């Protein structure tokens, strides 16, 4: 199975679906993470955007190694400036076709962060177009089975599919800790991202809370685009 996570920022994969990615990688599936941006706005003003992006790129690669993913790439969008356009939709069509995934993981559209909103819409529309033979790009058409959306507890996101990550919660946390600059940034950022205060402890608690809902030690939750293909994610 091929699994592709398309995330807006370098730490999003670890935060939202790190346990699921680690589980699929451990069982031998091909796992890739495509980052829309390099997260260059994720600094407190003491560094340039270029410096922040360089640090976050390396953090992403380190986190990918912890999770066991096969590919870590960056799609070239600007942090805080992802917009919906036909041109950008085709960038995502090409990304999907390049990886030819069975399942795609990405952001839930009802999210406070505008980059998450735009990413969700671009991926969803590209998912439809990726299978159309006459929509020509650099790669051949593909037909992923499903999209699974992840979201913040502050949005209207309500998971329906749960992945047991009981054996991978520590791996998820270790991957998150590779994003050292962002663990510090989110603490300093304060109220805007209040749900991420004490991020490591919060994610561990969230995983355990979701696990209790479905009878396991820890879980991650997703909302599938198509109900009939939920089994692919487990």
């Amino acid at each position: 199975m091929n699994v592709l996570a398309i995330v807006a920022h370098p730490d999003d994969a670890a935060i939202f679906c790190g346990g699921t990615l680690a589980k699929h990688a451990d069982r031998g599936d091909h796992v890739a993470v495509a980052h829309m941006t390099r997260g260059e706005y994720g600094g407190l003003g003491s560094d340039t955007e270029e410096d922040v992006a360089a640090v976050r790129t390396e953090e992403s690669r380190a986190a990918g190694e912890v999770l066991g993913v096969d590919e870590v790439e960056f799609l070239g969008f600007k942090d805080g400036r992802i917009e919906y356009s036909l041109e950008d939709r085709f960038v995502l069509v090409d990304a999907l076709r390049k990886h030819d995934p069975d399942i795609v993981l990405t952001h839930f559209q009802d999210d406070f962060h505008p980059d998450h909103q735009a990413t969700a819409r671009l991926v969803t529309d590209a998912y439809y177009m990726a299978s159309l033979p006459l929509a020509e790009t650099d790669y051949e058409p593909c037909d992923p089975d499903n999209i699974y959306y992840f979201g913040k507890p502050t949005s209207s996101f309500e998971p329906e599919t749960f992945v047991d990550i009981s054996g991978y919660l520590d791996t998820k946390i270790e991957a998150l800790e590779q994003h050292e600059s962002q663990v510090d940034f989110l603490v300093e950022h304060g109220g805007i991202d209040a749900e991420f205060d004490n991020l490591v402890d919060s994610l561990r608690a969230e995983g355990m809370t979701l696990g209790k809902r479905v009878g396991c030690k820890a879980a991650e939750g997703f909302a599938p685009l198509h109900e009939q293909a939920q089994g692919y994610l487990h």
Side-chain angles (χ1 to χ4, degrees):
M1 178 184 293
N2 290 342
V3 181
L4 173 63
I6 302 178
V7 297
H9 309 105
D11 54 345
D12 287 335
I15 289 172
F16 293 111
C17 58
T20 299
L21 296 178
K23 183 174 185 176
H24 276 273
D26 189 45
R27 74 182 194 184
D29 294 336
H30 186 277
V31 179
V33 180
H35 302 85
M36 298 287 284
T37 79
R38 294 180 185 267
E40 60 270 21
Y41 273 0
L44 294 171
S46 57
D47 296 309
T48 65
E49 289 185 29
E50 290 77 12
D51 290 338
V52 172
V55 168
R56 299 198 69 184
T57 297
E58 291 308 309
E59 291 176 341
S60 299
R61 298 193 189 284
E65 290 185 11
V66 171
L67 295 175
V69 306
D70 298 284
E71 297 180 64
V72 173
E73 70 170 335
F74 300 87
L75 299 180
F77 291 85
K78 296 297 185 181
D79 191 12
R81 291 152 285 184
I82 302 175
E83 296 181 338
Y84 187 93
S85 70
L86 181 60
E87 179 181 3
D88 290 342
R89 188 200 304 169
F90 271 97
V91 173
L92 270 299
V93 169
D94 227 20
L96 289 172
R97 289 175 169 181
K98 173 185 175 183
H99 290 283
D100 190 17
D102 296 295
I103 60 173
V104 180
L105 312 180
T106 198
H107 298 275
F108 188 65
Q109 190 166 336
D110 179 15
D111 189 289
F112 184 73
H113 200 304
D115 281 349
H116 295 185
Q117 297 172 24
T119 298
R121 187 180 174 197
L122 285 166
V123 172
T124 301
D125 289 357
Y127 166 82
Y128 171 76
M129 291 192 68
S131 65
L132 302 180
L134 295 183
E136 295 184 2
T137 68
D138 291 338
Y139 296 91
E140 293 298 313
C142 69
D143 191 13
D145 292 301
N146 211 350
I147 300 177
Y148 293 88
Y149 301 99
F150 47 71
K152 293 183 180 181
T154 50
S155 75
S156 62
F157 173 72
E158 181 59 39
E160 302 171 31
T161 298
F162 296 88
V163 177
D164 181 351
I165 62 163
S166 300
Y168 301 93
L169 181 57
D170 288 341
T171 304
K172 172 188 176 86
I173 298 301
E174 184 182 352
L176 173 64
E177 289 173 340
Q178 305 310 304
H179 296 280
E180 184 177 357
S181 69
Q182 293 313 289
V183 173
D184 295 340
F185 170 74
L186 289 170
V187 170
E188 293 292 331
H189 202 211
I192 295 298
D193 284 309
E195 74 272 22
F196 288 145
D197 288 351
N198 301 313
L199 180 57
V200 172
D201 291 341
S202 295
L203 283 185
R204 188 179 293 277
E206 180 185 11
M208 295 174 68
T209 298
L210 289 176
K212 288 181 180 179
R213 288 180 60 176
V214 292
C216 61
K217 180 180 177 182
E220 290 176 335
F222 302 86
L225 177 62
H226 302 301
E227 296 293 333
Q228 67 269 23
Q230 289 190 29
Y232 283 100
L233 187 60
H234 297 286

